[in-house]
Amino acid sequence: MAKRNTWQTRFGFYLVAIGSALGLGNLWRFPYVVGENGGGAFVLLYVLLILIVGAPLLISELMLGKLTGQSVLMATKAVGKKAHRSFAWFGRFSVLLSLVVLTYYSVISGWVLHFLTQFLFHVFSSPGSFAGPSMELLQSNGWLQLALTSVHILFALVLVLKGFQEGVERYISWVTPVFAVLVSVLLWKSFSLPTFSESVRFLFYPDFSKLSLSSLNHAVGHVFFTLSVGFGTMVTFGSYMRSNDHVPTAGFRVSIVDTLVSLIGVVLVFPVAFQASNVPMTDPTLMFDVIPRFLLDLPGGNWFGMMFFLCLYLAALNASLGLLETVVSNLDDRNQKLDRTTAAWIVAGVCLALSAFPALSSTYLRNVHIKEKGFIEIMDSFLINWLLPLAALGLSLSFWKGTAEDDKFREFSGTEHVVSQVMYSHWKFAVRFLVPVIILVGLALQIFDLFKN
Ligand code: PHE
């Protein structure tokens, strides 16, 4: 078997793994899911689940990749041979899920692209006279959304065709610091809003009566989504790790950084949302309704807006790249006859065709509603709250049954790391017991909730 490429540096791995975890999940999805689930108690539940479910599974997926040296399809096939052949189906399921999630992820990325171009246009054409990009306008134009989605998929395709590491490692290393500076300025501004303390109370004071029966599962689903667990993406990244890289430490660090960014995201969004009384806090448009107003209040608002949406767009592009790369590299690894370029074009084409549904959801499909939820929300909820936990569970099971205990234990060895050998038994307990129990209880409660209403 040909030797796999590995990261040039350990830093390269972190850039790409953190880059894949950070994305729209942090700034777009997390705030509205927190709004939907009533604030503080949900945030607390989410942080807890990152620690006991998310990080352990992230470590498992990275380890599955590192131990087999393969992407998820071949990796589950390999471990399936050792344990149970049907495990290969879990791999196929997670790749399929990546493809379908990419369709609506691309639509939301298209929204970001629209906001970016609007700000860009106003920076250079008519400074001062701009009321901000309008979500309403975008929502009333389905073809524009489809066009933006196509541009986004095309960008991702080009980057994937340029090759995995080169395309990505390079640009994230300069985007991350720029974004960090921008977000710090915004945070500092949000501290000074009169609604800041009210929103901090909403976000961090746990009122458990606000949780619904489905909240556990909503938290589990979001934990997987934001950490890119259950899609097979992290298996691919793990397969590129070098033999002396410490998987548990890496998984733990990625989880912590991602969680901090999500928490910063809600602290940014909610003070502004509270100030603008007419914003629906439970809607996927929340971030898009809120952030531009805030940016335009700042001196040099158009510039700020442009930079903010540029960074957000690059984060979204990078996450999309992770999803597209998962599907393409798996297809390519599996099918010797298909070259990578053809595989990438086929996947991008299928993705574009399917993305017409979410892209046209606010116009031609606007009558598709379930309990006041529109098409994108239904799709998001079905994929992330129902299918993703099952995919994550399947991968976790294949990994646990199909790899030797000694190999897993060895990956924990070394005491100089953040996560050391003493953590092995905790991790084992989490993966073997907590993860399946929490996922299954979450799904059961959600089913119950469905029939109750
Ligand atoms: N974790 C990404 C986000 O939060 C989404 C993603 C999932 C990216 C799976 C790649 C793979 O936006």
Side-chain angles (χ1 to χ4, degrees):
M1 194 184 3
K3 179 158 174 9
R4 240 181 144 69
N5 287 340
T6 50
W7 309 106
Q8 305 300 325
T9 56
R10 184 164 299 153
F11 188 56
F13 164 78
Y14 277 110
L15 280 179
V16 176
I18 291 179
S20 157
L22 296 184
L24 295 173
N26 306 73
L27 283 171
W28 160 70
R29 197 174 189 278
F30 190 53
Y32 102 78
V33 178
V34 167
E36 218 170 37
N37 289 280
F42 184 79
V43 173
L44 189 70
L45 183 64
Y46 165 79
V47 174
L48 185 74
L49 289 172
I50 285 274
L51 293 175
I52 63 173
V53 173
L57 279 197
L58 175 55
I59 294 172
S60 306
E61 287 192 16
L62 288 172
M63 215 183 272
L64 176 62
K66 192 178 170 206
L67 291 178
T68 56
Q70 304 273 7
S71 307
V72 71
L73 276 187
M74 300 305 275
T76 45
K77 209 167 160 192
V79 293
K81 279 199 191 118
K82 291 194 189 134
H84 199 289
R85 282 192 183 275
S86 63
F87 285 175
W89 283 101
F90 294 133
R92 292 178 195 132
F93 183 49
S94 68
V95 173
L96 194 66
L97 194 62
S98 298
L99 178 69
V100 184
V101 166
L102 181 59
T103 63
Y104 80 93
Y105 202 86
S106 299
V107 174
I108 313 291
S109 306
W111 296 358
V112 179
L113 198 56
H114 174 71
F115 277 49
L116 165 62
T117 49
Q118 290 284 302
F119 275 111
L120 193 72
F121 181 73
H122 284 276
V123 162
F124 293 109
S125 68
S126 51
S129 60
F130 185 37
S134 148
M135 200 57 205
E136 255 165 73
L137 198 90
L138 188 61
Q139 295 277 290
S140 64
N141 192 341
W143 296 110
L144 176 62
Q145 290 187 58
L146 192 58
L148 291 161
T149 307
S150 321
V151 172
H152 176 75
I153 294 177
L154 202 67
F155 282 162
L157 175 67
V158 170
L159 284 173
V160 161
L161 287 178
K162 274 194 72 185
F164 183 51
Q165 281 155 293
E166 280 159 62
V168 190
E169 271 181 57
R170 214 178 296 149
Y171 84 77
I172 315 177
S173 51
W174 63 265
V175 173
T176 317
V178 176
F179 206 24
V181 172
L182 283 177
V183 167
S184 316
V185 176
L186 293 181
L187 256 187
W188 174 72
K189 274 308 272 184
S190 102
F191 288 156
S192 59
L193 290 178
T195 42
F196 184 74
S197 52
E198 183 192 348
S199 55
V200 165
R201 196 181 150 77
F202 171 76
L203 289 170
F204 300 110
Y205 176 78
D207 176 354
F208 291 97
S209 66
K210 294 225 179 105
L211 292 178
S212 73
L213 281 177
S214 296
S215 293
L216 175 63
N217 210 41
H218 289 178
V220 170
H222 188 74
V223 161
F224 294 154
F225 180 73
T226 193
L227 295 181
S228 313
V229 159
F231 296 93
T233 309
M234 290 295 176
V235 180
T236 308
F237 292 164
S239 73
Y240 291 118
M241 285 177 98
R242 296 172 308 176
S243 59
N244 60 345
D245 285 340
H246 199 250
V247 176
T249 302
F252 191 68
R253 286 203 179 128
V254 172
S255 310
I256 297 294
V257 173
D258 186 78
T259 307
L260 287 178
V261 176
S262 288
L263 293 178
I264 291 174
V266 283
V267 171
L268 262 182
V269 168
F270 278 96
V272 198
F274 275 116
Q275 210 175 24
S277 50
N278 54 350
V279 173
M281 293 204 208
T282 58
D283 201 272
T285 55
L286 174 64
M287 186 207 80
F288 293 92
D289 283 331
V290 160
I291 292 282
R293 305 177 194 219
F294 187 43
L295 295 168
L296 285 168
D297 278 346
L298 301 171
N302 284 343
W303 276 96
F304 234 103
M306 183 185 80
M307 290 306 289
F308 179 85
F309 282 99
L310 177 65
C311 290
L312 186 62
Y313 181 68
L314 291 175
L317 182 59
N318 191 44
S320 309
L321 218 58
L323 287 165
L324 187 61
E325 174 69 35
T326 307
V327 189
V328 172
S329 68
N330 276 293
L331 211 65
D332 190 37
D333 273 2
R334 199 183 129 84
N335 195 331
Q336 303 295 336
K337 274 183 252 131
L338 201 66
D339 66 284
R340 193 179 148 88
T341 311
T342 319
W345 277 98
I346 294 176
V347 175
V350 172
C351 178
L352 183 60
L354 291 177
S355 70
F357 294 96
L360 301 176
S361 67
S362 57
T363 50
Y364 297 97
L365 298 177
R366 71 170 165 268
N367 293 331
V368 180
H369 269 286
I370 299 181
K371 285 193 212 147
E372 289 172 30
K373 283 187 176 191
F375 188 86
I376 290 199
E377 244 184 303
I378 299 171
M379 192 169 175
D380 183 45
S381 160
F382 179 62
L383 294 170
I384 308 304
N385 299 334
W386 292 92
L387 300 188
L388 185 57
L390 291 173
L393 187 60
L395 288 186
S396 158
L397 185 74
S398 323
F399 162 72
W400 199 268
K401 296 274 180 214
T403 50
E405 180 99 24
D406 284 352
D407 290 341
K408 288 180 281 228
F409 185 69
R410 206 170 311 119
E411 290 293 331
F412 268 78
S413 63
T415 44
E416 75 278 25
H417 301 289
V418 177
V419 181
S420 65
Q421 236 148 332
V422 278
M423 297 289 281
Y424 181 75
S425 53
H426 298 281
W427 175 67
K428 186 172 165 180
F429 177 71
V431 178
R432 296 196 57 188
F433 179 73
L434 289 179
V435 167
V437 168
I438 291 175
I439 291 178
L440 294 175
V441 170
L443 284 169
L445 288 176
Q446 184 163 264
I447 293 172
F448 195 65
D449 204 12
L450 200 68
F451 287 110
K452 201 185 75 185
N453 295 317

